[in-house]
Amino acid sequence: MKYTFTPKALKNKDIATVTLATTASDVTVRTSDGRTVIELGVGKREEMTRRKLVNVIRKIVSLAKAANKKKVALDFFDLVFPHLHMTPTELGEMLSTNLEMANFEFVKYKSKPKEGWSTLAEVVVLGKLGSDVEKAVRKGKMIGEEVNKTRALANTPGGAMTPAILAQSAAEAAEGLPITTTVLGVREMEELGMGAVLGVGRGSDEEPKFIVMEYFGGMPDEKPVVLVGKGVTFDTGGLNLKSDTNMYEMHMDMSGGAAVIHALSLAAKLKLQKNVVALVPAVENMPSGSSYHPGDVLQGMSGKTVEVLNTDAEGRVILSDALCYAQKYKPRLVVDVATLTGAIHVALGAHASGLFTKDEELEGYFRKLGEESGDYLWPMPLWDEYESEIRGTFGDWANTGKSRYGGAINAALFLYQFTKDEKGKEAYPWVHLDIASRMTSADGEYLAKGAAGTPVRLLIKLLERF
Ligand code: BES
Ligand code: MN
Ligand code: ZN
């Protein structure tokens, strides 16, 4: 979308002007001498919250689309709510990020209608704004576009998204940027002893890949932040095959991988002076004559063994090798992002991802990042009490819990084991985000159906500040 800035209202007939009405909570569309004015009721101004404002901004796009307009004008100061304590640049960034997100539709596989797509082409921001605000709007646009690229990648059907294609997409996301992308194949993974990734990947005709992206924009001696993303390009469940309803949407099981790939490329585009690494173990989880079986014991890169109780708990298995690989960077922080469990969806519903960390300070820090970015997080326990659930009988750690309760916690505690070094000490500060609950957009968010692109907005704030 194009953004233009002007202090005065425009009178062009092709522009829909949006104003916020403070008393009503409904929408009125008026046309006088051929011009369209959309009055968007937002209720009492003092009752506005940051969360509501995100949806108000997105609703502007859906109203303009419904009015068949390609251009929309809005007064920046209409969106200023002093009690929200947002700086003008913060608001500018939030504005364009969410306009972009609301304007996205995944139309790659649809025939173009005669009248064209309904997406907006231009936003005119009215008001006397400093150049810093205009800059923030342009930055927010970049963030929104990167979120949308993440969504497009995740939305790509399983038949068109293999580990090799995901690796190719990572290379494309890095194109023209100071990023080194390395893709490990089966041979290299064998040499590293990555029996966990290889074990899960065995059932597929598509060979697993291990994607490594490095962006070193910081000082040479600065330890990197490592982002780890689950890259299951399709999750059938393997021999523990999923049912039809549960298998639907499992082409999006690489959403975490897509998010870390694009967060890293965004960090490079924004020229952040930080060192960042993204790791994505990429596999297809399939049932076949060569699949790993329930009961198999896999030995991963750490040397610890994994007893496979359920081949559908594959995400934690492949991530165990990635968390071990991460240790070689001596990271300042490792954040893994994964559509890991249906249980987190049960626990939190559709409006937050699960936040797991042993570090209380990081927990608070991430919750705040969640509120500020719009990628909302809610803390979950990682207590020792749950560890007995995942102790193996014939291997060191079992990939599912013994009971049907606390599934998201059991998965997180499994991952935790692989953040430790060979002496059993935590190798780095670690945060796990279970984004299964936020894999797709929820009703009332004014986002197109399909992948939600979480948590790119949060990760870029993290990389900027941490
Ligand atoms: N990819 C799924 C989790 C998932 C479910 C993500 C729904 C998004 C939407 C994961 O690999 C999985 O299958 N988890 C199992 C674990 C179980 C077998 C212990 C689950 O959640 O049922
Ligand atoms: Mn699974
Ligand atoms: Zn999965």
Side-chain angles (χ1 to χ4, degrees):
M1 231 179 334
K2 191 175 147 196
Y3 293 81
T4 43
F5 303 89
T6 164
K8 296 193 301 278
L10 300 174
K11 300 237 159 81
N12 311 30
K13 289 196 173 149
D14 58 338
I15 297 185
T17 305
V18 176
T19 60
L20 301 195
T22 51
T23 45
S25 56
D26 52 353
V27 179
T28 351
V29 182
R30 286 185 284 115
T31 31
S32 60
D33 45 288
R35 289 189 298 126
T36 305
V37 176
I38 300 171
E39 235 175 62
L40 169 52
V42 294
K44 294 196 181 108
R45 285 191 76 85
E46 64 270 25
E47 286 173 8
M48 182 56 69
T49 64
R50 216 179 155 111
R51 283 169 178 253
K52 279 199 223 167
L53 187 55
V54 166
N55 283 339
V56 164
I57 291 167
R58 292 177 184 165
K59 195 168 177 181
I60 292 170
V61 177
S62 75
L63 291 172
K65 280 184 184 175
N68 269 320
K69 296 291 172 186
K70 288 274 151 206
K71 287 189 193 179
V72 62
L74 56 104
D75 188 337
F76 186 81
F77 294 98
D78 242 7
L79 299 170
V80 174
F81 295 85
H83 66 278
L84 297 183
H85 304 292
M86 290 177 74
T87 63
T89 52
E90 206 180 341
L91 178 60
E93 187 183 308
M94 183 207 249
L95 173 65
S96 48
T97 298
N98 286 286
L99 290 174
E100 293 295 336
M101 287 174 71
N103 204 29
F104 169 84
E105 277 169 48
F106 188 60
V107 295
K108 189 175 170 195
Y109 296 95
K110 279 184 146 183
S111 315
K112 196 171 179 169
K114 278 194 278 309
E115 65 280 11
W117 305 112
S118 67
T119 41
L120 279 184
E122 187 176 341
V123 175
V124 182
V125 185
L126 306 171
K128 263 207 163 80
L129 304 175
S131 60
D132 54 336
V133 179
E134 292 186 16
K135 212 174 131 195
V137 169
R138 279 191 289 273
K139 179 180 162 201
K141 168 186 151 86
M142 288 172 74
I143 297 171
E145 284 172 347
E146 211 67 39
V147 172
N148 293 343
K149 284 180 187 168
T150 308
R151 293 163 79 191
L153 201 56
N155 278 335
T156 304
M161 177 54 63
T162 61
I165 298 174
L166 187 58
Q168 182 54 37
S169 308
E172 279 161 23
E175 226 164 71
L177 295 165
I179 295 171
T180 313
T181 309
T182 314
V183 180
L184 311 183
V186 169
R187 275 260 309 284
E188 287 102 329
M189 284 192 268
E190 275 168 1
E191 271 157 32
L192 288 165
M194 289 188 166
V197 180
L198 291 168
V200 176
R202 233 167 54 199
S204 172
D205 290 345
E206 299 292 338
E207 285 192 357
K209 304 280 178 195
F210 191 90
I211 306 163
V212 181
M213 297 171 86
E214 295 168 336
Y215 166 65
F216 295 140
M219 300 303 251
D221 58 344
E222 181 204 87
K223 297 192 162 60
V225 171
V226 176
L227 308 175
V228 176
K230 172 175 171 181
V232 176
T233 60
F234 197 86
D235 182 11
T236 64
L239 291 176
N240 293 109
L241 195 65
K242 285 182 183 291
S243 69
D244 53 358
T245 48
N246 286 342
M247 205 185 295
Y248 179 63
E249 294 187 332
M250 278 304 120
H251 59 287
M252 285 183 260
D253 211 17
M254 32 58 74
S255 296
V260 305
I261 288 168
H262 283 289
L264 183 128
S265 86
L266 182 55
K269 284 177 192 167
L270 295 174
K271 302 188 171 65
L272 299 190
Q273 294 181 9
K274 298 289 169 68
N275 296 334
V276 191
V277 176
L279 304 176
V280 182
V283 300
E284 190 183 42
N285 189 21
M286 294 292 268
S288 78
S290 53
S291 292
Y292 74 142
H293 315 77
D296 278 358
V297 179
L298 305 174
Q299 185 171 40
M301 190 178 172
S302 68
K304 282 176 261 197
T305 57
V306 175
E307 183 175 354
V308 178
L309 296 184
N310 190 319
T311 60
D312 196 12
E314 83 298 337
R316 66 197 77 179
V317 180
I318 63 168
L319 289 169
S320 71
D321 273 343
L323 290 171
C324 180
Y325 188 90
Q327 295 187 19
K328 79 170 198 148
Y329 290 99
K330 306 205 177 326
R332 287 196 289 147
L333 172 69
V334 175
V335 182
D336 79 73
V337 183
T339 48
L340 204 64
T341 68
I344 199 68
H345 205 161
V346 174
L348 297 179
H351 296 285
S353 296
L355 165 61
F356 298 81
T357 176
K358 290 258 181 186
D359 185 320
E360 252 174 66
E361 218 175 297
L362 279 174
E363 178 181 303
Y365 187 81
F366 270 72
R367 272 199 61 191
K368 215 163 139 258
L369 282 177
E371 292 307 311
E372 281 180 39
S373 65
D375 284 324
Y376 308 127
L377 303 176
W378 195 255
M380 297 285 290
L382 260 184
W383 298 328
D384 298 342
E385 285 89 330
Y386 294 83
E387 225 169 66
S388 60
E389 283 278 324
I390 52 160
R391 283 201 191 280
T393 310
F394 302 112
D396 296 330
W397 297 100
N399 78 333
T400 65
K402 294 183 173 76
S403 75
R404 38 191 284 265
Y405 305 114
I409 304 166
N410 297 341
L413 266 170
F414 178 94
L415 295 181
Y416 173 65
Q417 309 311 324
F418 298 89
T419 67
K420 297 177 188 171
D421 61 19
E422 59 288 359
K423 287 189 202 99
K425 232 184 94 236
E426 292 172 14
Y428 43 69
W430 170 67
V431 175
H432 159 55
L433 303 179
D434 190 340
I435 62 164
S437 45
R438 291 291 309 146
M439 183 172 79
T440 57
S441 58
D443 283 346
E445 288 187 314
Y446 299 98
L447 293 178
K449 278 204 166 63
T454 204
V456 172
R457 288 175 291 165
L458 178 141
L459 291 176
I460 202 66
K461 281 205 192 309
L462 169 77
L463 296 176
E464 271 180 327
R465 295 181 198 170
F466 189 80

